[in-house]
Amino acid sequence: MVISIAVQTDRASDTRPVIAPHGATGDGQLLVSVGHADAPAVLTVYEDLRCPGCAEIERRLHSTVNRLQDEGKVRVDYHLLSFVDRIAAGTGSKYAANALAAAQDAGKFREYHDVLYAHPPKAEHVDSYGDKQVLLDLAAEVPGLSTPRFTAAVEEGTHDTWIRAVQEAFDRQSRIQGTPAFLFKGEDLLKDPASPLTPQRLTELVDQEASP
């Protein structure tokens, strides 16, 4: 699994106001929550769309996470990070996260999230998401997403400054050092080598929390 470590670097010169995607939650509206707001279990996920390790985890777990959401058992709070752009150079993390935030505006976050992770960059240094047309082409796989509003948000970077704010908040903390991170009840489920995070284990943990 590839783990990307965040480092400090220069800030972008974009001075536009921060525009959070529709329904953003948490301190400073820096989270995107998917699932029932009152779900008994909460999974907090830190991801960068250029991170190969994130793509691998999503490949293994996304169908299980989706099922548990549909059953009303778990809510997932996403931190959309963009630090691979600083490590490997490029813009794909920011562009893809902005596009995903625009999909949230359209009510298509989960669908587009799954499509993006089904077509990940081949490696951190491969900045395929740095081409906005790639992001727009992938959006065509999500019914109803390819609208003029979504296209404009991708092309104009409507949520770019929000993505920067999410990353800056991440930079100010020290507990989570990289991606992917899947926190459940305060513990990163990916940090226990004795208990790999499998679909079965995730289901068991969530079912225990959801039991009367």
Side-chain angles (χ1 to χ4, degrees):
M1 180 184 302
V2 177
I3 301 293
S4 301
I5 303 300
V7 296
Q8 296 290 337
T9 189
D10 301 21
R11 298 303 179 196
S13 58
D14 192 339
T15 59
R16 291 177 296 173
V18 172
I19 300 177
H22 178 74
T25 63
D27 188 16
Q29 293 185 304
L30 299 180
L31 300 177
V32 173
S33 294
V34 181
H36 296 283
D38 60 352
V42 178
L43 187 64
T44 303
V45 174
Y46 293 79
E47 292 182 330
D48 187 310
L49 288 151
R50 285 182 69 185
C51 167
C54 297
E56 173 59 24
I57 289 295
E58 286 292 344
R59 184 188 66 78
R60 285 194 275 141
L61 297 178
H62 83 273
S63 61
T64 301
V65 171
N66 290 353
R67 174 179 57 79
L68 293 169
Q69 287 173 345
D70 292 341
E71 293 173 353
K73 294 178 179 179
V74 71
R75 184 185 84 234
V76 184
D77 292 342
Y78 288 96
H79 296 255
L80 304 182
L81 303 179
S82 53
F83 60 80
V84 174
D85 286 351
R86 306 189 319 217
I87 297 169
T91 55
S93 294
K94 179 178 73 173
Y95 288 177
N98 168 70
L100 189 50
Q104 167 70 9
D105 291 335
K108 303 285 186 179
F109 181 95
R110 192 174 89 175
E111 295 89 338
Y112 191 51
H113 176 270
D114 287 353
V115 166
L116 290 175
Y117 273 119
H119 302 83
K122 297 183 183 300
E124 283 185 343
H125 67 275
V126 178
D127 193 21
S128 54
Y129 287 161
D131 182 348
K132 292 182 178 181
Q133 189 58 52
V134 171
L135 298 168
L136 293 172
D137 290 344
L138 289 174
E141 298 188 17
V142 179
L145 181 57
S146 294
T147 64
R149 181 179 179 183
F150 174 81
T151 299
V154 172
E155 292 178 342
E156 298 168 10
T158 297
H159 299 295
D160 282 356
T161 51
W162 180 78
I163 298 303
R164 185 177 67 197
V166 174
Q167 183 61 53
E168 288 174 346
F170 179 82
D171 292 342
R172 289 192 295 269
Q173 60 85 51
S174 59
R175 184 184 178 198
I176 308 300
Q177 293 295 308
T179 58
F182 276 58
L183 273 62
F184 181 73
K185 301 178 72 171
E187 299 297 325
D188 189 347
L189 298 178
L190 302 178
K191 296 298 185 182
D192 184 359
S195 300
L197 184 55
T198 62
Q200 180 180 0
R201 182 182 177 219
L202 181 59
T203 298
E204 290 172 351
L205 290 170
V206 170
D207 282 346
Q208 288 172 10
E209 196 72 7
S211 297

